[in-house]
């Protein structure tokens, strides 16, 4: 894998990966410190920590964790040591393309027997909350934050983002001087390859909608149809195309939820 500009390879004491060049002299313990919990993190991100990298930036450290059937067996052990490096590259490429993505600081793998523990470190966005939590806590910014989230996803699509598990908690929002600021994060196994055809975009947007349906009982706010339309407006779609996207997403979502009921998944 080609190392992005501004980053260097890291290989010390069984820990390998890539780090931002100005952090290359830090010892391995600095990157794998426990830090403090990040209370706002959801899902498998509940183990996310906040730590300071020496005298440098405050970082959000996410240890990769499995879902599904292997979660209880190999919770945080992986064969592929390059996954966090690829996520660093994807985040950096989006930022170079002008997308508001969090800044990657390091992607590292620590050997654990025959497998690896993986960790991604990104720069902390002060005051940021996952999008659903932000709009619940700042109702006066709800419309602008949802529209801005759509604009960030539109920019990511234009840059070629293909993400198998894009969902609303991949977007964090904070209050800026002129309104809400939204950043994209958590791009594990995402790729960048433009153009992104409409069916692929619809599949990712349907995945986002399904997440809202499946987690509605635990979401901090009720998501209204107007939120969805405002998000689509943020995608830079005119009225006709917004309505077409909304119909297509609704149809796909109904099919997926029906199959889920049939097969118990």
């Amino acid at each position: 894998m080609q190392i992005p500009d501004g980053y260097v390879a890291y290989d010390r004491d069984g820990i390998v990966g890539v780090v931002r060049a100005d952090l290359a002299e830090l010892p391995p313990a600095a990157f794998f410190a426990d830090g403090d919990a990040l209370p706002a993190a959801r899902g498998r991100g509940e183990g996310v920590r906040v730590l300071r990298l020496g005298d440098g930036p405050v970082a959000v450290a996410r240890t990769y964790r499995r879902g599904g059937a292997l979660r209880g067996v190999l919770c945080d052990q992986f064969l592929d040591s390059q996954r966090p490096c690829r996520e660093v590259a994807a985040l950096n490429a989006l930022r170079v393309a002008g997308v508001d993505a969090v800044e990657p600081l390091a992607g590292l793998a620590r050997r654990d027997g025959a497998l690896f523990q993986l960790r991604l470190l990104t720069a902390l966005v002060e005051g940021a909350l996952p999008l659903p939590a932000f709009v619940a806590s700042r109702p006066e910014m709800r419309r602008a934050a949802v529209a801005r989230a759509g604009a960030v996803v539109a920019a990511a699509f234009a840059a070629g983002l293909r993400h198998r598990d894009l969902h609303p908690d991949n977007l964090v929002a904070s209050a800026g001087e002129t309104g809400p600021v939204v950043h994209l994060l958590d791009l594990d196994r995402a790729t960048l390859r433009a153009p992104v055809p409409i069916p692929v975009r619809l599949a990712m947007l349907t995945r986002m909608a399904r997440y809202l349906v499946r987690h509605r009982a635990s979401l901090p706010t009720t998501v209204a149809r107007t939120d969805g339309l405002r998000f689509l407006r943020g995608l830079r779609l005119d009225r006709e195309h917004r309505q077409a996207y909304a119909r297509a997403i609704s149809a796909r979502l109904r099919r997926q939820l029906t199959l889920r009921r049939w097969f118990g998944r």
Side-chain angles (χ1 to χ4, degrees):
M1 186 196 77
Q2 184 174 359
I3 298 175
D5 290 342
Y7 296 81
V8 296
Y10 190 89
D11 186 353
R12 293 177 63 179
D13 300 336
I15 293 178
V16 296
V18 297
V19 302
R20 204 174 68 181
D22 62 308
L23 304 174
E25 298 305 315
L26 289 177
F31 296 109
F32 280 87
D34 285 340
D36 300 314
L38 183 64
R42 285 175 55 86
R44 292 199 294 276
E46 289 175 356
V48 172
R49 316 298 290 182
V50 178
L51 53 96
R52 180 172 290 280
L53 296 176
D55 296 326
V58 177
V60 175
R62 188 184 90 240
T63 299
Y64 288 54
R65 300 186 187 279
R66 293 184 184 272
L70 291 176
R71 183 173 186 174
V73 181
L74 298 170
C75 175
D76 61 352
Q77 295 175 307
F78 297 85
L79 182 63
D80 183 2
S81 64
Q82 292 297 303
R83 275 175 66 172
C85 299
R86 290 194 293 271
E87 189 166 356
V88 166
L91 285 167
N92 181 72
L94 286 178
R95 289 171 59 85
V96 169
V99 181
D100 289 329
V102 295
E103 181 186 4
L105 301 175
L108 298 166
R110 178 169 63 182
R111 184 167 289 282
D112 183 14
L115 301 175
F116 294 90
Q117 292 179 327
L118 310 178
R119 179 169 270 201
L120 178 80
L121 295 98
T122 57
L124 175 69
V125 180
E126 290 288 349
L129 292 171
L131 182 62
F134 180 82
V135 299
S137 66
R138 300 295 298 266
E140 77 281 7
M141 290 190 176
R142 183 183 190 112
R143 294 183 178 185
V146 171
R148 182 59 198 155
V152 170
V153 172
F157 285 165
L161 179 68
R162 298 163 186 251
H163 195 324
R164 62 186 295 176
D165 191 23
L166 187 66
H167 56 73
D169 286 324
N170 290 138
L171 295 155
V172 293
S174 57
E177 293 183 0
T178 59
V181 179
V182 177
H183 287 83
L184 188 63
L185 77 167
D186 289 356
L187 299 186
D188 182 30
R189 294 183 290 182
T191 60
L192 271 68
R193 188 172 74 255
V196 181
I198 288 178
V200 177
R201 298 184 183 207
L202 287 173
M204 287 190 279
L205 294 173
T206 302
R207 173 64 177 151
M208 295 186 75
R210 192 176 78 177
Y211 180 92
L212 293 172
V213 172
R214 291 180 61 185
H215 296 273
R216 59 189 166 194
S218 62
L219 289 174
T221 185
T222 300
V223 180
R225 182 174 182 273
T226 52
D227 291 317
L229 293 175
R230 192 166 291 115
F231 180 87
L232 293 177
R233 187 180 296 117
L235 283 175
R236 304 167 190 163
L237 300 173
D238 59 30
R239 182 181 178 85
E240 180 180 353
H241 285 93
R242 286 199 303 272
Q243 292 176 343
Y245 266 58
R247 289 193 297 269
I249 292 168
S250 295
R252 285 168 174 254
L253 182 60
R254 284 195 299 271
R255 287 196 299 271
Q256 290 181 12
L257 294 176
T258 298
L259 288 172
R260 178 181 172 83
R261 287 195 295 270
W262 283 352
F263 294 101
R265 296 183 59 186

